[in-house]
């Protein structure tokens, strides 16, 4: 078998308990090599040798840095095949050439130079990559990037609010077409600078200005009649508009969305902008937004930590789930509030820490989630590391593969249940089962034998 689609071999390759000889044998199969590329920690020299023997340049991309010993790094640096010898450096250079974000450590390793030197490299794409990756660069380096002769480098240097644009550079950046839109989003603007940006009549520039959190009331007033849904929503979130104006702006955008406008839908539902100023407003001013009809204001309010008890009661019962979740992250959220929220809606596993990891969450209640009708809520029960085997067996019988995968990762799994999941028809489930550190070596060897390894 030569296909990559051999999930048990792939899972075995990333199994942290797999013995060295298992990994050496796995290196002869593409799926095993793929699994080992996802493996954490340093690879033994014998495993690296096996990967070099059976793999190719794609395999060698993962053999670098702390993943291998100094001896193996020298071995690869002296390898007669340039596809092996230069695999990692070529991969990083390719990402730079394609403008794919790359970590600053990877850039240093691939080029063998310190980031300060790379910021002045001859290749403008490399300088731009450094600007995107080196978030905490010194002011002197930032100034050099702002003065770079290549517009793509200057644009990369101003993509994020940090490290920022020194005050003496703002005028020059706002006049630079390569960075004007980026900078207009976040630097404090003088009246003249604001007027100059508005005179461009460039929709992208005006949209960026509308998102600027430092606008004065007069500047916001100048934006009120701009016929663009993103601008209208940004202005509606400003501290300088009253409730009547805010309602009018939102109503206009809602009407556009109802008429089929994609731009209006994006402005209302897919924007990351928020009225962050509300967090710093006086408490009595913030409390007025408990009745705000727009969830984004209540969501920001719920992220505060000094609200009175009555406010928390209302936010805990808010009709918007995102508001309720934001409120539940306060340090003193009651256990019953946390349990009720997760039991009704599950948890959000891409946002850490999880609500079930909150110090006040009643962890003893997790195993009762196995009885809930929603599979997403039942999945939360797996956060109990001591979930009884009977509960794991019930979850393993679910039709939803993500539940079976969760069982296959659970620390309390038994040999019998692991064997059952290894034979699951869904490749993701059998992959997770093969990756479980409780899998016994004898079973690992049988997997290898069955694959002809």
């Amino acid at each position: 078998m030569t296909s990559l689609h051999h999930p048990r071999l792939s899972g075995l390759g990333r199994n942290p308990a797999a013995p060295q000889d298992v990994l050496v044998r796995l290196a002869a199969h593409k799926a095993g090599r793929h699994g080992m590329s996802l493996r954490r920690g340093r690879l033994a020299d014998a495993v690296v040798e096996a990967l070099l023997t059976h793999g190719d340049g794609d395999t060698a991309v993962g053999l670098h840095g702390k993943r291998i010993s100094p001896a193996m790094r020298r071995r690869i640096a002296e390898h007669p095949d340039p596809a092996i010898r230069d695999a990692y450096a070529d991969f990083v250079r390719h990402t730079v050439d394609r403008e794919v974000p790359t970590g600053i450590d990877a850039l240093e390793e691939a080029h063998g130079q310190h980031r300060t030197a790379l910021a002045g490299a001859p290749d403008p794409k490399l300088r731009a990559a450094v600007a995107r990756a080196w978030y905490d660069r010194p002011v002197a380096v930032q100034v050099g990037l702002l003065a770079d002769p290549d517009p793509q480098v200057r644009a990369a240097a101003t993509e994020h609010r940090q490290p920022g644009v020194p005050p003496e550079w703002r005028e020059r950046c706002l006049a630079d077409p390569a960075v004007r839109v980026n900078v207009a989003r976040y630097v404090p603007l003088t009246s003249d600078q604001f007027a100059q940006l508005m005179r461009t009549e460039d929709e992208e520039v005006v949209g960026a200005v509308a998102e600027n959190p430092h606008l004065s009331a007069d500047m916001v007033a100048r934006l009120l009649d701009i016929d663009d849904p993103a601008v209208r929503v940004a202005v509606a979130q400003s501290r300088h508009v009253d409730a009547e104006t805010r309602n009018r702006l939102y109503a206009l955008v809602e009407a556009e969305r109802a008429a089929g406008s994609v731009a209006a839908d994006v402005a209302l539902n897919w924007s990351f902008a928020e009225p962050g100023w509300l967090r710093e407003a006086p408490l009595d001013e913030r409390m007025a937004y408990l009745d705000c009809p727009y969830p984004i204001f209540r969501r920001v309010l719920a992220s505060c930590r000094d609200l009175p008890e009555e406010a928390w009661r209302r936010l805990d019962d808010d009709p918007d789930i995102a508001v309720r979740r934001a409120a539940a992250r306060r340090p003193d959220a009651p256990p019953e509030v946390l349990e009720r929220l997760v039991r009704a809606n599950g948890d959000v596993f891409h946002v850490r820490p999880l609500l079930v990891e909150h110090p006040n969450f009643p962890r003893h209640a997790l195993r009762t989630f196995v009885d809930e009708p929603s599979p997403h809520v039942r999945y939360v029960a797996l956060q109990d590391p001591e979930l009884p085997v009977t509960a794991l067996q019930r979850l393993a019988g679910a039709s939803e593969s993500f539940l079976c995968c969760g069982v296959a990762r659970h620390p309390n799994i038994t040999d019998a249940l692991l064997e059952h999941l290894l034979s699951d028809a869904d490749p993701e489930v059998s992959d997770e089962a093969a990756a479980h550190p409780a899998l016994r070596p004898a079973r690992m060897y049988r997997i290898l034998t069955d694959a002809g390894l």
Side-chain angles (χ1 to χ4, degrees):
M1 298 176 66
T2 57
S3 171
L4 176 60
H5 303 292
H6 196 304
R8 289 192 293 182
L9 293 183
S10 178
L12 199 53
R14 57 189 181 87
N15 190 316
Q20 179 176 304
D21 61 331
V22 167
L23 298 179
V24 168
R25 290 167 66 181
L26 278 171
H29 196 290
K30 189 174 183 180
R33 295 194 296 273
H34 172 71
M36 279 189 277
S37 72
L38 305 175
R39 188 183 182 83
R40 296 187 179 186
R42 176 175 288 187
L43 297 169
D45 288 1
V47 176
V48 177
E49 285 287 3
L51 289 169
L52 292 174
T53 298
H54 298 287
D56 53 17
D58 290 340
T59 304
V61 166
L63 304 178
H64 66 92
K66 294 181 180 179
R67 280 181 56 76
I68 60 177
S69 70
M72 286 296 104
R73 287 200 292 273
R74 290 192 297 272
R75 165 93 165 81
I76 291 173
E78 298 168 357
H79 201 282
D81 185 350
I84 302 294
R85 186 174 62 242
D86 302 324
Y88 182 68
D90 287 347
F91 170 77
V92 173
R93 292 188 183 102
H94 180 69
T95 63
V96 168
D97 190 57
R98 298 291 296 273
E99 298 180 18
V100 176
T102 306
I104 189 64
D105 292 336
L107 293 173
E108 288 184 324
E109 182 177 350
H111 292 272
Q113 290 182 287
H114 188 269
R115 58 197 67 183
T116 304
L118 294 178
D123 181 2
K125 287 191 174 182
L126 179 53
R127 299 198 301 274
V130 172
R132 294 188 188 97
W134 189 4
Y135 303 116
D136 56 349
R137 55 189 177 270
V139 174
V141 174
Q142 174 70 341
V143 167
L145 294 169
L146 294 176
D148 196 280
D150 193 288
Q152 69 176 319
V153 178
R154 302 197 300 277
T158 55
E159 282 181 4
H160 304 288
R161 300 189 181 204
Q162 298 299 329
V165 177
E168 63 273 17
W169 277 83
R170 290 173 186 167
E171 190 73 38
R172 175 172 171 174
C173 287
L174 290 169
D176 181 353
V179 304
R180 179 184 294 140
V181 170
N182 290 344
V183 175
R185 283 195 177 92
Y186 55 79
V187 301
L189 302 173
T190 66
S191 298
D192 288 343
Q193 289 168 342
F194 175 83
Q196 290 168 10
L197 292 171
M198 294 299 290
R199 279 196 294 270
T200 65
E201 297 184 354
D202 183 312
E203 290 184 3
E204 195 174 7
V205 171
V206 174
V209 170
E211 296 178 16
N212 193 308
H214 305 292
L215 300 183
S216 67
D218 289 341
M219 294 174 185
V220 171
R222 289 277 306 277
L223 294 165
L224 283 174
D225 297 320
I226 301 295
D227 184 14
D228 180 288
V231 172
R232 282 174 171 158
V233 169
V235 173
Q237 292 183 5
S238 169
R239 72 178 74 204
H240 299 302
V241 299
D242 56 29
E244 182 180 352
T245 302
R246 181 173 292 120
N247 292 341
R248 177 177 67 82
L249 292 170
Y250 269 113
L252 288 170
V253 181
E254 289 281 8
E256 288 183 74
R257 181 176 65 171
S261 168
V262 174
D265 185 57
V266 170
L268 288 169
N269 296 313
W270 300 98
S271 172
F272 292 104
E274 64 174 22
W277 56 268
L278 188 57
R279 294 187 182 92
E280 281 72 50
L283 180 60
D284 57 348
E285 181 181 350
R286 279 182 280 148
M287 289 292 289
Y289 286 88
L290 272 173
D291 298 312
C292 182
Y294 312 110
I296 185 62
F297 286 86
R298 305 195 306 275
R299 198 180 313 158
V300 171
L301 182 62
S303 69
C304 298
R305 295 293 176 260
D306 60 344
L307 305 181
E309 190 57 38
E310 173 58 26
W312 290 126
R313 278 196 292 270
R314 292 179 58 181
L315 291 168
D316 287 335
D317 292 326
D318 195 277
D320 188 276
I321 178 62
V323 174
R324 300 199 299 276
R325 282 178 169 146
R329 293 188 177 278
R330 65 190 186 272
D332 59 346
E336 62 273 16
V337 168
L338 290 161
E339 181 182 351
R340 182 183 66 194
L341 179 59
V342 176
R343 190 179 291 277
N345 304 279
D347 214 335
V348 182
F349 284 86
H350 64 275
V351 177
R352 298 286 173 163
L354 302 177
L355 288 176
V356 297
E357 294 170 340
H358 192 293
N360 293 348
F361 190 91
R363 300 279 299 182
H364 65 273
L366 281 173
R367 59 191 59 188
T368 67
F369 285 27
V370 173
D371 300 318
E372 293 297 325
S374 168
H376 296 284
V377 177
R378 296 202 299 276
Y379 184 82
V380 177
L382 293 165
Q383 293 300 306
D384 180 355
E386 298 179 353
L387 196 65
V389 173
T390 52
L392 291 173
Q393 290 170 333
R394 288 176 56 190
L395 293 175
S399 58
E400 296 85 4
S401 62
F402 72 88
L403 269 173
C404 297
C405 285
V407 174
R409 291 188 291 265
H410 198 273
N412 209 29
I413 198 166
T414 62
D415 288 348
L417 190 50
L418 200 54
E419 183 64 36
H420 169 72
L421 295 172
L422 277 170
S423 302
D424 196 279
D426 190 303
E428 291 187 15
V429 177
S430 55
D431 178 287
E432 292 290 354
H436 201 293
L439 188 67
R440 298 186 184 277
R443 187 64 180 96
M444 297 183 189
Y445 295 128
R446 280 169 46 206
I447 292 174
L448 294 174
T449 301
D450 291 345
L453 297 176

